[in-house]
Amino acid sequence: MEIADVRGDLSQVLFTPDEITGRLRELAGDVDRDYAGKDLVIVGVLNGAVMTVADLARDLKTHCEMHWMAISSYGDGVTSSGVLRILKDLTVDIEGRDVLVVEDIIDTGLTLSYLVQNLRGRQPASLEVLTAFRKPAAAKCDVDVKYVGFDIPNDFVVGYGLDYAGKYRNLNGLGVLDPAVYGG
Ligand code: 5GP
């Protein structure tokens, strides 16, 4: 799905597909440099990080495994439910391995700090975080994010894996959802 297909639902277009994939290619270069000779395990956070993992991993020159976790966060709305739990756990042991958690977006940082704390308990050799997008509030959370695609304004965004009520995930760019769409 392209921006033009849903332009009327967006109050602003933030990034074109080329801008996003271009930035991810730069980050893949950083990851290649930092993980040379290491045992890289990418942990993608479902469902939103599917696009980010797919594009990032294809740009890597380093071998990596790709695994997935699902955490409950937002429901169908645009505000956090505040309740976090693991809906789908990893199917591999990460003890002694070099783990890179890949997120779609960090808003309050609540999901990420929960996840990082949980994964650290499994004793990986190293644990770092990459996110495609980050909102300003996330700067206040105490989890270190090593790789950030873009810092974005504090608006509800859709596209590139991010949904509203299950829709817009397959939009190839990123835009601000017009509040009229969700009655805001
Ligand atoms: P946090 O725990 O950092 O507040 O929120 C993280 C999760 O909330 C993200 O993984 C994502 O699923 C959802 N989220 C946060 N901000 C947005 C947004 O602007 N748009 C969409 N679609 N989801 C968001």
Side-chain angles (χ1 to χ4, degrees):
M1 175 182 276
E2 300 187 7
I3 302 263
D5 298 320
V6 289
R7 187 65 188 88
D9 294 350
L10 306 176
S11 56
Q12 198 187 341
V13 176
L14 292 180
F15 303 108
T16 64
D18 285 352
E19 286 171 326
I20 299 172
T21 51
R23 178 71 184 122
L24 283 177
R25 196 159 303 132
E26 288 175 0
L27 291 182
D30 296 344
V31 171
D32 274 329
R33 185 197 59 218
D34 297 347
Y35 286 86
K38 293 198 173 170
D39 177 24
L40 175 58
V41 180
I42 288 179
V43 173
V45 184
L46 294 171
N47 296 318
V50 166
M51 307 294 182
T52 309
V53 170
D55 282 336
L56 177 86
R58 281 179 294 183
D59 281 332
L60 290 177
K61 299 184 194 307
T62 315
H63 282 293
C64 68
E65 286 183 22
M66 286 180 272
H67 297 284
W68 304 93
M69 282 182 84
I71 314 284
S72 72
S73 54
Y74 291 4
D76 269 0
V78 293
T79 50
S80 173
S81 67
V83 181
L84 296 178
R85 65 197 167 96
I86 294 177
L87 301 178
K88 183 211 173 301
D89 207 343
L90 290 176
T91 52
V92 285
D93 188 355
I94 56 167
E95 186 176 344
R97 308 194 67 187
D98 295 298
V99 173
L100 179 63
V101 174
V102 176
E103 270 272 20
D104 47 3
I105 191 166
I106 308 175
D107 182 356
T108 61
L110 213 68
T111 309
L112 186 65
S113 46
Y114 171 83
L115 189 62
V116 163
Q117 196 186 9
N118 182 291
L119 292 177
R120 277 206 197 289
R122 305 181 197 197
Q123 274 131 25
S126 66
L127 182 67
E128 301 290 353
V129 179
L130 181 150
T131 187
F133 308 107
R134 181 176 67 177
K135 292 189 189 176
K140 292 184 215 130
C141 76
D142 55 2
V143 181
D144 251 6
V145 181
K146 186 160 187 183
Y147 311 95
V148 179
F150 300 95
D151 279 315
I152 63 168
N154 198 15
D155 294 313
F156 189 79
V157 295
V158 291
Y160 203 71
L162 289 158
D163 76 312
Y164 169 64
K167 293 183 185 154
Y168 305 97
R169 279 197 207 280
N170 59 327
L171 173 61
N172 59 8
L174 190 86
V176 176
L177 189 65
D178 192 321
V181 176
Y182 56 85

